[in-house]
Amino acid sequence: MAAAVQSAVRKKGQSSCVHHNGKTVEFLCEKCNELACKKCVASCHRGHELTELDDIAEQQKIIMISFIDEVENNKLPNIKENICSVDKQIESTSEYFDTLGAKVQEQGVKMKHEIDVMIAESLSLYQKLKEDNIRLLTDYKQCLEDGHEGLKEQLHECKTQLQDASVIELHDAGHAFRTIALNLPDIPNLHTAVFEAPTHYRCYLEQALGTITTNALSECQRESIPQLPSPKRESTTATPVSGATALNRPAVTYTFLPQTSIMGKFQTNRIGNKICPTGSDEIWISYSDVLELLNKKGVMRRQFKFTVRITDISISPRTRNIWVCSDADSSIMECTQGAPSLRFHCKNKPICLCVTIGNQILVGMSQRVTKFSQQGKSLLRTQTQSSGRSLVRLPQKIAECRLTQNVAVVERQSYDANCKSQVLVMDKEFGELFRYRGDGQQAAGAVFDPWDVTFDNAGNLLIADCNNHSVLLVSSVGEFIRTVFTDERSTQAICLNKNHVLWAVFGDVVKRLQYYSA
């Protein structure tokens, strides 16, 4: 088998023909893309289409001149402009994130200051309570000591007269001693205070510091970042703004129990229409004109009686004092250690109220919800919609989410006969977010009839559905999640304590429920 003939290779810049020594190349073979001399025309490139190198050189000059023109006039200036633009982006990016960092630091300093102020206020309050209690106890001790000395003197006189007195003197002395009051002074009513550190405070700190969002990562970026397993969650939460994703932080999560468990129950004397937690295993419950503090066994620990009908109650997250409103005289009252104190009057009759995490008072009245300071100064109110109708019609119950400061309003009645019972959810500026009208309930036997509402630890809503004798769980974006509990009696009121145990009033029975494990 003949050996394969290797084709000669011309070196770059070589002008002599690789096939014919001493001959200069003058042509380009279009078929072989190879330079050829005159002898090649009749030999190795016979019959091929050949082009003179002079013609090709002219074409090449035109192409090179066009390239030079394109590079000098377009490419280089564009690249230079892009470099300048990138420099500006680097500078603006640095300034932008430095500004964000400064804002975070500023907010952090502000939070630290607020915490220091709150600590100082708490310490000052405790100091005042301590001084008042010490003064009361000191006065009580002095009364006891005075009584002790007085009784000793009378005892000595009694013994002396018993030995030396005549019959007449004994008669008179016995009558005198029988009239002496031997009752001890009453024990003073001391101030009490409770401090309970929240178990899930990080979510509130993150909410106060602010939410950080970033633009969505590309697929290649996601693949280059190690992925950690997400915590197990069965509830729904608010969706981030399109094009952005929330910064990964430990989320407030929980897992539903297979079945809601009853941790305890007790029967009340009357049907309680409003309840709220104290922060421990106790609740405040109102019956028309009476407000009682009950422990988890239903034993009354404290009682306030009013001369007017109570329409709603709410507890201050800061002071733990109970606030009360009445539509009889349009009053807003605060219950401290002593008797209830009037704080202010509303122009319209208050139907419901809620003390916010900022210690401001949300009051529901006909056609509006208004935020007041503790002194009764109007700070914010719901507005009239573009249709001319009020955003809120007849609010029956208000609740604030401690996580987002969103506000939920129960509307069971309305001037509009076609308006269904619903729960309106607004942001902290009273902008409407959504309305829940019982959508998505499974096997609901009656018309949705909300009587009470509260927020759980993840920002979801718990709603007391009176007609269906149930407590519903609805997500922070208005989607039905599940029915937490169903009872034989109608659901009157609900609340969550600091351990996130659900208290619910069904008729005249109060039940403590656990529906998830933290």
Side-chain angles (χ1 to χ4, degrees):
M1 183 172 166
V5 179
Q6 293 184 349
S7 177
V9 178
R10 184 183 65 87
K11 295 180 181 180
K12 189 175 182 179
Q14 180 181 338
S15 60
S16 59
C17 181
V18 296
H19 300 291
H20 303 93
N21 292 333
K23 298 298 181 179
T24 303
V25 292
E26 300 180 20
F27 305 98
L28 172 67
C29 177
E30 300 289 347
K31 180 179 179 180
C32 303
N33 194 27
E34 186 179 72
L35 297 181
C37 65
K38 290 181 179 180
K39 292 188 71 174
C40 291
V41 174
S43 57
C44 55
H45 294 290
R46 177 184 301 215
H48 296 176
E49 184 178 352
L50 302 173
T51 303
E52 292 187 6
L53 288 180
D54 290 342
D55 294 338
I56 293 176
E58 289 298 324
Q59 295 176 6
Q60 211 50 35
K61 286 180 181 180
I62 294 173
I63 293 173
M64 293 173 70
I65 290 172
S66 176
F67 172 78
I68 291 171
D69 180 67
E70 175 68 17
V71 170
E72 287 184 342
N73 295 325
N74 294 317
K75 297 294 184 182
L76 289 179
N78 286 343
I79 293 175
K80 187 68 175 178
E81 184 178 350
N82 288 338
I83 291 173
C84 293
S85 176
V86 170
D87 287 337
K88 292 180 180 179
Q89 285 184 328
I90 291 173
E91 182 180 357
S92 63
T93 297
S94 178
E95 292 177 355
Y96 178 74
F97 284 101
D98 287 346
T99 301
L100 288 182
K103 287 182 178 179
V104 171
Q105 288 182 333
E106 180 182 355
Q107 182 65 9
V109 171
K110 182 179 179 182
M111 288 174 59
K112 292 177 183 177
H113 174 70
E114 291 290 338
I115 291 174
D116 289 340
V117 170
M118 291 173 64
I119 291 173
E121 289 176 349
S122 297
L123 293 178
S124 176
L125 174 62
Y126 296 156
Q127 181 66 25
K128 182 180 182 302
L129 295 179
K130 180 182 75 172
E131 292 173 354
D132 288 348
N133 282 357
I134 290 175
R135 177 179 52 78
L136 291 171
L137 290 171
T138 301
D139 293 344
Y140 178 58
K141 178 184 176 182
Q142 186 63 49
C143 290
L144 290 176
E145 290 176 346
D146 293 344
H148 182 268
E149 291 301 320
L151 283 176
K152 283 178 63 178
E153 292 176 2
Q154 291 171 4
L155 179 62
H156 176 72
E157 182 181 351
C158 181
K159 289 180 178 180
T160 301
Q161 291 192 10
L162 184 62
Q163 295 176 356
D164 303 331
S166 64
V167 176
I168 298 299
E169 289 173 337
L170 285 174
H171 173 270
D172 295 339
H175 178 74
F177 283 117
R178 282 196 299 270
T179 61
I180 297 174
L182 298 179
N183 294 331
L184 296 176
D186 293 333
I187 299 175
N189 184 17
L190 300 177
H191 298 296
T192 60
V194 176
F195 174 76
E196 297 171 351
T199 56
H200 301 283
Y201 62 86
R202 183 183 177 92
C203 58
Y204 303 123
L205 291 177
E206 290 174 357
Q207 179 65 27
L209 182 61
T211 303
I212 301 175
T213 57
T214 62
N215 59 328
L217 299 175
S218 64
E219 290 298 326
C220 62
Q221 287 174 315
R222 289 194 186 98
E223 293 175 358
S224 66
I225 299 176
Q227 296 297 311
L228 299 178
S230 300
K232 183 179 180 182
R233 188 182 185 120
E234 294 185 37
S235 63
T236 56
T237 55
T239 305
V241 179
S242 177
T245 178
L247 183 69
N248 289 329
R249 282 173 171 166
V252 179
T253 62
Y254 55 75
T255 302
F256 293 123
L257 296 175
Q259 184 176 0
T260 299
S261 61
I262 301 175
M263 302 178 66
K265 64 179 180 179
F266 59 84
Q267 193 166 10
T268 59
N269 296 327
R270 292 181 285 175
I271 295 177
N273 55 354
K274 307 292 180 183
I275 60 173
C276 62
T278 63
S280 58
D281 287 333
E282 296 176 332
I283 59 165
W284 286 100
I285 184 167
S286 64
Y287 312 95
S288 183
D289 60 346
V290 176
L291 179 63
E292 293 181 347
L293 178 63
L294 307 179
N295 66 12
K296 61 183 180 181
K297 295 183 179 180
V299 177
M300 186 181 70
R301 306 298 298 273
R302 200 166 182 198
Q303 185 184 78
F304 289 109
K305 292 185 178 181
F306 296 82
T307 58
V308 291
R309 183 173 72 97
I310 300 171
T311 51
D312 199 8
I313 60 175
S314 180
I315 197 163
S316 168
R318 288 190 181 180
T319 65
R320 312 309 298 176
N321 289 339
I322 192 79
W323 287 69
V324 177
C325 69
S326 174
D327 60 359
D329 58 358
S330 300
S331 61
I332 306 295
M333 295 168 278
E334 181 183 15
C335 300
T336 56
Q337 292 297 323
S341 301
L342 175 66
R343 293 304 177 218
F344 59 91
H345 284 98
C346 300
K347 292 183 179 179
N348 295 13
K349 292 183 178 182
I351 305 172
C352 50
L353 86 164
C354 172
V355 184
T356 71
I357 196 170
N359 229 26
Q360 296 161 334
I361 317 299
L362 301 179
V363 180
M365 299 170 280
S366 176
Q367 304 290 315
R368 75 190 65 173
V369 170
T370 303
K371 179 187 293 185
F372 292 96
S373 68
Q374 292 192 41
Q375 294 72 38
K377 180 181 179 182
S378 178
L379 305 175
L380 182 68
R381 58 170 291 181
T382 52
Q383 301 297 317
T384 302
Q385 297 174 301
S386 57
S387 61
R389 301 171 64 182
S390 299
L391 178 65
V392 178
R393 281 86 171 187
L394 285 175
Q396 303 296 313
K397 187 66 180 177
I398 307 176
E400 183 198 44
C401 178
R402 305 306 190 214
L403 187 64
T404 63
Q405 280 77 65
N406 289 344
V407 177
V409 180
V410 172
E411 291 189 305
R412 292 182 50 247
Q413 304 173 9
S414 174
Y415 294 124
D416 185 353
N418 297 322
C419 183
K420 297 181 179 180
S421 297
Q422 59 187 344
V423 177
L424 165 66
V425 178
M426 306 177 290
D427 60 28
K428 62 182 180 180
E429 301 299 328
F430 293 166
E432 180 177 343
L433 297 178
F434 64 88
R435 295 175 186 265
Y436 181 74
R437 298 184 174 93
D439 305 325
Q441 289 189 62
Q442 299 174 353
V447 176
F448 178 60
D449 186 23
W451 274 42
D452 203 350
V453 65
T454 189
F455 288 90
D456 73 2
N457 188 41
N460 299 318
L461 289 90
L462 288 160
I463 302 173
D465 185 351
C466 182
N467 278 351
N468 291 290
H469 306 177
S470 301
V471 179
L472 312 179
L473 184 65
V474 176
S475 77
S476 58
V477 292
E479 298 174 350
F480 175 79
I481 298 176
R482 66 183 296 177
T483 298
V484 172
F485 189 79
T486 301
D487 196 77
E488 299 175 351
R489 305 171 182 83
S490 59
T491 317
Q492 306 290 326
I494 55 174
C495 69
L496 274 175
N497 70 2
K498 70 160 189 174
N499 296 321
H500 306 288
V501 173
L502 175 63
W503 296 65
V505 180
F506 299 100
D508 60 349
V509 176
V510 178
K511 294 185 177 181
R512 297 166 55 246
L513 308 172
Q514 185 77 50
Y515 66 94
Y516 72 88
S517 59

